[in-house]
Amino acid sequence: RRDRGTSMVSNEIIEPRSNVFQAQRRRVYVAGLFDESNYEKWTPSEILEVAVDLINDHEDGWFDDVLDDGTELVLRFADSGCDPRKSLPAYWDLRTNWGAEESKDVDGGCDSRRSAPRLHGIIGCRCSAATAAVARTAGLEVVPMVSPVSSAADLSEKADYPSPFRLVGPDDERGQVGALVSLLRAMEWEKVSVIATDTKFARDMMTDFSSLWVGHHLAGDVGESAWIGEVVYSHIIKLNADGTVNEESVRRVLNGAPTNNPSTNSRVIVLIAHHQHAYSILKIARDVDFQPDTIWTGTEWVGQETLSHHLPQNPIGTGASWMPE
């Protein structure tokens, strides 16, 4: 088992340590597709490895009755990035090459030769666009997929994505979008601006938020009075080919935001972005002295300063003193 500080090794096969049931063991091959660039300490691969270790070890007192028929889980990891252009080739490489070489397996006590690729399930990806690309292909091949964090609402459409099972709620009124609206209304705000990055996750959430926010809303059952939701400004920030934020696009979006007329601008800006992008955007806003009294809010990036090495650090120490207030 790896130490917490060890980085994830791409395409590494993790073999179990227990020899129990070795003579009759059947193997289930599971691929972990994760964004390797996004974690510093406990990576998803390490968490999954610990879980599989516990399941495969039938003598440690943890989950010893799971797969007690001798079935063994075998893992291999690949870097899916946060981009479908990377996640789909990573999946296809595992799907077509893992186990394609002729190997000798033991199945129910009988030796057999097999040359077909082996892939029974997928864990991943992180970003919704990367997950969607893999889910469509895996669905055609009836390969089940478990996504720990992908939250795009349309991944719930089983006609388009029959394969994935999610461990988080969708980005609609039942999930982050509904929670965001509730947060803004708890502050009695009605007028906001929305800035999003050019990713599937952010674009979809921007659309769903606007649909839920804009317009006349009747008085609520808990004493809330009727209100009118407005989005006074919205724009998309482009990304570079390597997935980083395009600084010139950020500056154009900030320059275009109305800030001079209180009747048309909003101090409240909803920033919809993955946290590695949000930090860069906030850093640029600080550098250009954009509307210093802006109230920035959002979803997944809020409160995640210590989780990413993408966070720009204050030259005189750690912390978020460089961020807009």
mmCIF file of all heavy atoms in Angstrom, residues 75-99:
data_model
loop_
_atom_site.group_PDB
_atom_site.id
_atom_site.type_symbol
_atom_site.label_atom_id
_atom_site.label_comp_id
_atom_site.label_asym_id
_atom_site.label_seq_id
_atom_site.Cartn_x
_atom_site.Cartn_y
_atom_site.Cartn_z
ATOM 1 N N LEU A 75 -6.968 -3.851 -10.569
ATOM 2 C CA LEU A 75 -7.064 -2.441 -10.954
ATOM 3 C C LEU A 75 -5.976 -2.059 -11.937
ATOM 4 O O LEU A 75 -4.862 -2.579 -11.889
ATOM 5 C CB LEU A 75 -6.936 -1.539 -9.728
ATOM 6 C CG LEU A 75 -8.020 -1.606 -8.654
ATOM 7 C CD1 LEU A 75 -7.631 -0.694 -7.507
ATOM 8 C CD2 LEU A 75 -9.355 -1.212 -9.229
ATOM 9 N N ARG A 76 -6.311 -1.130 -12.793
ATOM 10 C CA ARG A 76 -5.302 -0.417 -13.571
ATOM 11 C C ARG A 76 -5.757 1.026 -13.691
ATOM 12 O O ARG A 76 -6.939 1.302 -13.887
ATOM 13 C CB ARG A 76 -5.123 -1.033 -14.953
ATOM 14 C CG ARG A 76 -4.159 -0.223 -15.833
ATOM 15 C CD ARG A 76 -3.850 -0.910 -17.150
ATOM 16 N NE ARG A 76 -2.899 -1.995 -16.962
ATOM 17 C CZ ARG A 76 -2.375 -2.687 -17.984
ATOM 18 N NH1 ARG A 76 -2.735 -2.396 -19.220
ATOM 19 N NH2 ARG A 76 -1.511 -3.650 -17.753
ATOM 20 N N PHE A 77 -4.819 1.962 -13.563
ATOM 21 C CA PHE A 77 -5.134 3.378 -13.590
ATOM 22 C C PHE A 77 -4.602 4.028 -14.864
ATOM 23 O O PHE A 77 -3.557 3.639 -15.386
ATOM 24 C CB PHE A 77 -4.527 4.097 -12.385
ATOM 25 C CG PHE A 77 -4.995 3.564 -11.067
ATOM 26 C CD1 PHE A 77 -4.130 2.900 -10.227
ATOM 27 C CD2 PHE A 77 -6.306 3.721 -10.680
ATOM 28 C CE1 PHE A 77 -4.550 2.396 -9.016
ATOM 29 C CE2 PHE A 77 -6.744 3.235 -9.462
ATOM 30 C CZ PHE A 77 -5.867 2.563 -8.634
ATOM 31 N N ALA A 78 -5.326 5.040 -15.336
ATOM 32 C CA ALA A 78 -4.879 5.845 -16.470
ATOM 33 C C ALA A 78 -5.293 7.283 -16.240
ATOM 34 O O ALA A 78 -6.267 7.564 -15.532
ATOM 35 C CB ALA A 78 -5.459 5.316 -17.777
ATOM 36 N N ASP A 79 -4.561 8.208 -16.836
ATOM 37 C CA ASP A 79 -4.814 9.637 -16.672
ATOM 38 C C ASP A 79 -5.874 10.077 -17.676
ATOM 39 O O ASP A 79 -5.646 10.058 -18.887
ATOM 40 C CB ASP A 79 -3.514 10.407 -16.887
ATOM 41 C CG ASP A 79 -3.681 11.907 -16.653
ATOM 42 O OD1 ASP A 79 -4.752 12.313 -16.159
ATOM 43 O OD2 ASP A 79 -2.732 12.656 -16.961
ATOM 44 N N SER A 80 -7.040 10.480 -17.167
ATOM 45 C CA SER A 80 -8.121 10.942 -18.040
ATOM 46 C C SER A 80 -8.099 12.450 -18.235
ATOM 47 O O SER A 80 -8.807 12.984 -19.085
ATOM 48 C CB SER A 80 -9.481 10.540 -17.463
ATOM 49 O OG SER A 80 -9.700 11.208 -16.230
ATOM 50 N N GLY A 81 -7.273 13.146 -17.407
ATOM 51 C CA GLY A 81 -7.271 14.593 -17.454
ATOM 52 C C GLY A 81 -8.652 15.149 -17.151
ATOM 53 O O GLY A 81 -9.500 14.499 -16.534
ATOM 54 N N CYS A 82 -8.894 16.367 -17.616
ATOM 55 C CA CYS A 82 -10.196 17.021 -17.449
ATOM 56 C C CYS A 82 -10.756 17.348 -18.825
ATOM 57 O O CYS A 82 -11.418 18.362 -19.015
ATOM 58 C CB CYS A 82 -10.013 18.286 -16.603
ATOM 59 S SG CYS A 82 -11.560 19.008 -15.984
ATOM 60 N N ASP A 83 -10.480 16.476 -19.796
ATOM 61 C CA ASP A 83 -10.731 16.790 -21.188
ATOM 62 C C ASP A 83 -11.120 15.507 -21.921
ATOM 63 O O ASP A 83 -10.417 14.498 -21.815
ATOM 64 C CB ASP A 83 -9.462 17.390 -21.804
ATOM 65 C CG ASP A 83 -9.683 17.959 -23.198
ATOM 66 O OD1 ASP A 83 -10.525 17.424 -23.935
ATOM 67 O OD2 ASP A 83 -8.995 18.929 -23.557
ATOM 68 N N PRO A 84 -12.229 15.509 -22.668
ATOM 69 C CA PRO A 84 -12.611 14.304 -23.411
ATOM 70 C C PRO A 84 -11.573 13.875 -24.446
ATOM 71 O O PRO A 84 -11.517 12.695 -24.801
ATOM 72 C CB PRO A 84 -13.934 14.701 -24.077
ATOM 73 C CG PRO A 84 -13.946 16.195 -24.075
ATOM 74 C CD PRO A 84 -13.196 16.601 -22.847
ATOM 75 N N ARG A 85 -10.766 14.823 -24.905
ATOM 76 C CA ARG A 85 -9.715 14.460 -25.863
ATOM 77 C C ARG A 85 -8.642 13.597 -25.221
ATOM 78 O O ARG A 85 -7.853 12.952 -25.914
ATOM 79 C CB ARG A 85 -9.092 15.733 -26.451
ATOM 80 C CG ARG A 85 -10.044 16.546 -27.320
ATOM 81 C CD ARG A 85 -9.464 17.886 -27.689
ATOM 82 N NE ARG A 85 -9.272 18.728 -26.510
ATOM 83 C CZ ARG A 85 -8.816 19.968 -26.555
ATOM 84 N NH1 ARG A 85 -8.506 20.514 -27.737
ATOM 85 N NH2 ARG A 85 -8.681 20.671 -25.457
ATOM 86 N N LYS A 86 -8.606 13.588 -23.910
ATOM 87 C CA LYS A 86 -7.653 12.749 -23.188
ATOM 88 C C LYS A 86 -8.332 11.533 -22.561
ATOM 89 O O LYS A 86 -7.764 10.444 -22.532
ATOM 90 C CB LYS A 86 -6.956 13.567 -22.095
ATOM 91 C CG LYS A 86 -5.748 12.896 -21.489
ATOM 92 C CD LYS A 86 -4.953 13.875 -20.647
ATOM 93 C CE LYS A 86 -3.658 13.241 -20.154
ATOM 94 N NZ LYS A 86 -2.833 14.209 -19.398
ATOM 95 N N SER A 87 -9.555 11.718 -22.065
ATOM 96 C CA SER A 87 -10.222 10.623 -21.352
ATOM 97 C C SER A 87 -10.637 9.496 -22.285
ATOM 98 O O SER A 87 -10.491 8.315 -21.939
ATOM 99 C CB SER A 87 -11.450 11.157 -20.603
ATOM 100 O OG SER A 87 -12.448 11.625 -21.499
ATOM 101 N N LEU A 88 -11.149 9.827 -23.474
ATOM 102 C CA LEU A 88 -11.612 8.774 -24.377
ATOM 103 C C LEU A 88 -10.466 7.919 -24.905
ATOM 104 O O LEU A 88 -10.566 6.682 -24.898
ATOM 105 C CB LEU A 88 -12.427 9.388 -25.514
ATOM 106 C CG LEU A 88 -13.140 8.381 -26.424
ATOM 107 C CD1 LEU A 88 -14.049 7.461 -25.617
ATOM 108 C CD2 LEU A 88 -13.950 9.117 -27.494
ATOM 109 N N PRO A 89 -9.343 8.521 -25.349
ATOM 110 C CA PRO A 89 -8.208 7.673 -25.732
ATOM 111 C C PRO A 89 -7.681 6.822 -24.576
ATOM 112 O O PRO A 89 -7.261 5.679 -24.791
ATOM 113 C CB PRO A 89 -7.152 8.681 -26.205
ATOM 114 C CG PRO A 89 -7.934 9.861 -26.646
ATOM 115 C CD PRO A 89 -9.101 9.933 -25.700
ATOM 116 N N ALA A 90 -7.693 7.373 -23.351
ATOM 117 C CA ALA A 90 -7.234 6.591 -22.199
ATOM 118 C C ALA A 90 -8.131 5.381 -21.979
ATOM 119 O O ALA A 90 -7.653 4.265 -21.730
ATOM 120 C CB ALA A 90 -7.213 7.470 -20.947
ATOM 121 N N TYR A 91 -9.448 5.599 -22.081
ATOM 122 C CA TYR A 91 -10.375 4.476 -21.951
ATOM 123 C C TYR A 91 -10.161 3.458 -23.061
ATOM 124 O O TYR A 91 -10.096 2.242 -22.823
ATOM 125 C CB TYR A 91 -11.821 4.986 -21.999
ATOM 126 C CG TYR A 91 -12.821 3.887 -22.277
ATOM 127 C CD1 TYR A 91 -13.205 3.000 -21.281
ATOM 128 C CD2 TYR A 91 -13.367 3.724 -23.561
ATOM 129 C CE1 TYR A 91 -14.113 1.981 -21.543
ATOM 130 C CE2 TYR A 91 -14.269 2.706 -23.825
ATOM 131 C CZ TYR A 91 -14.633 1.839 -22.816
ATOM 132 O OH TYR A 91 -15.511 0.824 -23.081
ATOM 133 N N TRP A 92 -10.054 3.944 -24.288
ATOM 134 C CA TRP A 92 -9.958 3.027 -25.430
ATOM 135 C C TRP A 92 -8.660 2.224 -25.390
ATOM 136 O O TRP A 92 -8.634 1.047 -25.787
ATOM 137 C CB TRP A 92 -10.076 3.790 -26.735
ATOM 138 C CG TRP A 92 -10.330 2.870 -27.898
ATOM 139 C CD1 TRP A 92 -9.512 2.592 -28.944
ATOM 140 C CD2 TRP A 92 -11.519 2.090 -28.100
ATOM 141 N NE1 TRP A 92 -10.102 1.697 -29.780
ATOM 142 C CE2 TRP A 92 -11.335 1.363 -29.292
ATOM 143 C CE3 TRP A 92 -12.709 1.934 -27.387
ATOM 144 C CZ2 TRP A 92 -12.299 0.493 -29.788
ATOM 145 C CZ3 TRP A 92 -13.662 1.069 -27.881
ATOM 146 C CH2 TRP A 92 -13.465 0.363 -29.063
ATOM 147 N N ASP A 93 -7.595 2.839 -24.904
ATOM 148 C CA ASP A 93 -6.335 2.110 -24.777
ATOM 149 C C ASP A 93 -6.488 0.941 -23.803
ATOM 150 O O ASP A 93 -6.037 -0.178 -24.074
ATOM 151 C CB ASP A 93 -5.233 3.053 -24.302
ATOM 152 C CG ASP A 93 -3.898 2.338 -24.136
ATOM 153 O OD1 ASP A 93 -3.369 1.824 -25.126
ATOM 154 O OD2 ASP A 93 -3.398 2.297 -22.996
ATOM 155 N N LEU A 94 -7.141 1.191 -22.671
ATOM 156 C CA LEU A 94 -7.372 0.111 -21.716
ATOM 157 C C LEU A 94 -8.339 -0.923 -22.288
ATOM 158 O O LEU A 94 -8.142 -2.128 -22.133
ATOM 159 C CB LEU A 94 -7.927 0.676 -20.409
ATOM 160 C CG LEU A 94 -6.962 1.500 -19.566
ATOM 161 C CD1 LEU A 94 -7.697 2.104 -18.377
ATOM 162 C CD2 LEU A 94 -5.809 0.647 -19.072
ATOM 163 N N ARG A 95 -9.366 -0.445 -22.957
ATOM 164 C CA ARG A 95 -10.385 -1.346 -23.492
ATOM 165 C C ARG A 95 -9.809 -2.286 -24.558
ATOM 166 O O ARG A 95 -10.201 -3.452 -24.647
ATOM 167 C CB ARG A 95 -11.529 -0.520 -24.093
ATOM 168 C CG ARG A 95 -12.634 -1.354 -24.744
ATOM 169 C CD ARG A 95 -13.379 -2.168 -23.724
ATOM 170 N NE ARG A 95 -14.398 -2.999 -24.331
ATOM 171 C CZ ARG A 95 -14.186 -4.223 -24.806
ATOM 172 N NH1 ARG A 95 -12.970 -4.753 -24.770
ATOM 173 N NH2 ARG A 95 -15.181 -4.912 -25.324
ATOM 174 N N THR A 96 -8.894 -1.805 -25.357
ATOM 175 C CA THR A 96 -8.396 -2.604 -26.476
ATOM 176 C C THR A 96 -7.091 -3.325 -26.181
ATOM 177 O O THR A 96 -6.796 -4.345 -26.808
ATOM 178 C CB THR A 96 -8.192 -1.715 -27.718
ATOM 179 O OG1 THR A 96 -7.327 -0.626 -27.385
ATOM 180 C CG2 THR A 96 -9.522 -1.172 -28.203
ATOM 181 N N ASN A 97 -6.300 -2.807 -25.230
ATOM 182 C CA ASN A 97 -4.964 -3.383 -25.021
ATOM 183 C C ASN A 97 -4.794 -4.125 -23.698
ATOM 184 O O ASN A 97 -3.926 -4.992 -23.607
ATOM 185 C CB ASN A 97 -3.907 -2.266 -25.090
ATOM 186 C CG ASN A 97 -3.828 -1.647 -26.464
ATOM 187 O OD1 ASN A 97 -4.019 -2.326 -27.467
ATOM 188 N ND2 ASN A 97 -3.556 -0.351 -26.525
ATOM 189 N N TRP A 98 -5.570 -3.785 -22.698
ATOM 190 C CA TRP A 98 -5.396 -4.440 -21.403
ATOM 191 C C TRP A 98 -5.868 -5.888 -21.507
ATOM 192 O O TRP A 98 -7.038 -6.169 -21.702
ATOM 193 C CB TRP A 98 -6.197 -3.705 -20.345
ATOM 194 C CG TRP A 98 -5.949 -4.187 -18.935
ATOM 195 C CD1 TRP A 98 -4.954 -4.998 -18.498
ATOM 196 C CD2 TRP A 98 -6.722 -3.847 -17.788
ATOM 197 N NE1 TRP A 98 -5.049 -5.184 -17.151
ATOM 198 C CE2 TRP A 98 -6.127 -4.497 -16.680
ATOM 199 C CE3 TRP A 98 -7.853 -3.069 -17.580
ATOM 200 C CZ2 TRP A 98 -6.634 -4.384 -15.390
ATOM 201 C CZ3 TRP A 98 -8.351 -2.949 -16.302
ATOM 202 C CH2 TRP A 98 -7.747 -3.605 -15.214
ATOM 203 N N GLY A 99 -4.937 -6.799 -21.396
ATOM 204 C CA GLY A 99 -5.275 -8.211 -21.474
ATOM 205 C C GLY A 99 -5.400 -8.726 -22.884
ATOM 206 O O GLY A 99 -5.806 -9.872 -23.089
#
